[in-house]
Amino acid sequence: MAAYRWKSFNDEEEDRPEKPRRYGVTEMRGPHYSLFSRGLLEDVFESMGQFVDGLKFCGGSHTLMPKTYIKEVTDMAHKHNVYVSSGDWADQMLRQGPSAIKKYIEECKRLGFDTIELDVASLGLPEETLLRYVRLIKSGGLRAKPQFSVKFNKSDIAFTGDRAFGAYVIPAPQTSEMVEDVDLLVRRAERCLEAGADMIMINADDLCRQADSLRSDMVAKIVGRLGLEKTMFEASSPKISEWFIKRYGPKVNLFVDHSQVMDLECLRGRNLGQNHSSLLGRSYFLL
């Protein structure tokens, strides 16, 4: 294991254990809005690889890349004990029809992905279909990570009025109206975990996108019902990361941009007796 100036990962007083970790996971955003070369990835892994648990391809960016390039990236990540997530590519593939999911899983395995993420909002899948996809991903030997937002289409909210037992209920037509329902998020996430999902990704939109409008009550309900180990929150800025670390400690799982990895690690390591600003000013390279 590489030795760092201020972290060992094997002391009981440290913020979390050595990789592979079940909690305190840092997932890093991969290619999306800007060019992300192999050289830059290699620099990140060699200088901060011990702090990076996962690499996520975002926005379907890898659909524009040669498969040989994707395989090189996944191989490089695995060399540094970093898992690779498919991101939200599934919504494009699954529009090809129900049979596309099995082909999609096999293609992800060939390219070296370890985790398949299912963006529930963009897929618009019925709940039972989502659970079936989770089981198929698990049976295919990969990890499943459904991603939820706190807003749902109004037609997805179950009818709660009185009706005869076994009566047929006409499905509500899809609308453009979105409503917040954290209880529905938690219930569906719980069912996904029961079906075998490894972790639940929580989208930052309308929940924790901005620090001054962060929905702490909803976050508390999600963590309270699902647990820290089974949830990962998207932290769109260092201020959001700091809020999560202050509120839930270094063992919270966060998804951040690659430029925030070291900043987040400094926040996780505050219990070492050094403050955040002093750590940012120090060299973090290997000894």
Side-chain angles (χ1 to χ4, degrees):
M1 186 192 76
Y4 289 81
R5 292 186 188 278
W6 51 281
K7 296 189 82 75
S8 62
F9 293 102
N10 56 14
D11 191 310
E12 291 184 358
E13 297 302 317
E14 286 284 353
D15 46 80
R16 61 203 196 289
E18 179 63 86
K19 295 195 304 183
R21 289 181 273 267
R22 293 181 295 106
Y23 53 84
V25 173
T26 296
E27 186 170 290
M28 181 181 80
R29 179 181 287 107
H32 193 188
Y33 296 115
S34 59
L35 181 63
F36 209 93
S37 68
R38 282 191 298 268
L40 178 55
L41 268 178
E42 193 168 12
D43 287 343
V44 172
F45 289 149
E46 289 186 356
S47 62
M48 298 183 288
Q50 197 64 14
F51 312 142
V52 179
D53 297 272
L55 170 69
K56 174 181 172 179
F57 282 80
C58 294
S61 54
H62 48 306
T63 62
L64 305 177
M65 302 175 184
K67 293 181 179 179
T68 53
Y69 178 88
I70 296 172
K71 191 65 171 64
E72 288 175 6
V73 170
T74 57
D75 287 345
M76 183 194 305
H78 293 155
K79 187 173 71 174
H80 292 273
N81 201 12
V82 173
Y83 69 80
V84 187
S85 172
S86 66
D88 48 2
W89 186 25
D91 59 330
Q92 301 296 325
M93 295 294 293
L94 298 183
R95 288 193 177 99
Q96 299 175 16
S99 62
I101 181 66
K102 292 184 178 180
K103 296 178 182 178
Y104 172 61
I105 294 170
E106 289 302 317
E107 180 73 357
C108 285
K109 290 179 70 174
R110 281 193 293 270
L111 293 175
F113 290 103
D114 307 283
T115 299
I116 291 181
E117 188 168 297
L118 297 170
D119 189 334
V120 177
S122 63
L123 286 171
L125 295 172
E127 189 169 320
E128 293 304 321
T129 303
L130 172 64
L131 298 177
R132 183 168 64 87
Y133 285 176
V134 168
R135 297 186 188 102
L136 282 172
I137 292 169
K138 294 297 295 180
S139 64
L142 298 177
R143 287 179 286 191
K145 184 194 286 186
Q147 174 176 294
F148 286 92
S149 300
V150 75
K151 282 191 174 181
F152 295 86
N153 192 291
K154 189 175 181 180
S155 61
D156 292 337
I157 309 301
F159 175 76
T160 57
D162 294 332
R163 63 174 183 267
F165 178 77
Y168 175 72
V169 179
I170 300 175
Q174 289 285 303
T175 70
S176 58
E177 185 178 355
M178 305 297 287
V179 294
E180 291 183 351
D181 195 331
V182 68
D183 291 312
L184 179 59
L185 183 158
V186 169
R187 185 182 66 78
R188 289 190 171 180
E190 286 176 332
R191 293 202 68 193
C192 285
L193 291 173
E194 291 170 0
D198 298 87
M199 189 174 287
I200 302 297
M201 172 71 83
I202 306 298
N203 196 306
D205 290 342
D206 304 306
L207 186 67
C208 51
R209 176 68 67 186
Q210 302 295 332
D212 56 358
S213 60
L214 197 145
R215 308 294 297 276
S216 59
D217 56 333
M218 292 187 175
V219 173
K221 179 170 285 191
I222 293 169
V223 172
R225 292 278 296 276
L226 304 180
L228 275 180
E229 186 177 321
K230 291 297 184 179
T231 52
M232 176 176 286
F233 292 90
E234 180 183 0
S236 53
S237 71
K239 286 186 177 181
I240 298 294
S241 297
E242 186 169 9
W243 184 91
F244 274 105
I245 299 298
K246 282 183 175 179
R247 181 64 63 93
Y248 295 104
K251 296 180 181 180
V252 64
N253 305 314
L254 294 175
F255 169 58
V256 299
D257 188 75
H258 76 280
S259 62
Q260 299 173 26
V261 168
M262 180 52 63
D263 190 60
L264 173 57
E265 197 62 32
C266 292
L267 288 168
R268 291 193 196 274
R270 277 181 168 175
N271 63 339
L272 300 179
Q274 294 175 299
N275 63 44
H276 182 49
S277 59
S278 67
L279 285 174
L280 283 176
R282 294 176 181 269
S283 170
Y284 54 79
F285 294 102
L286 303 179
L287 292 173

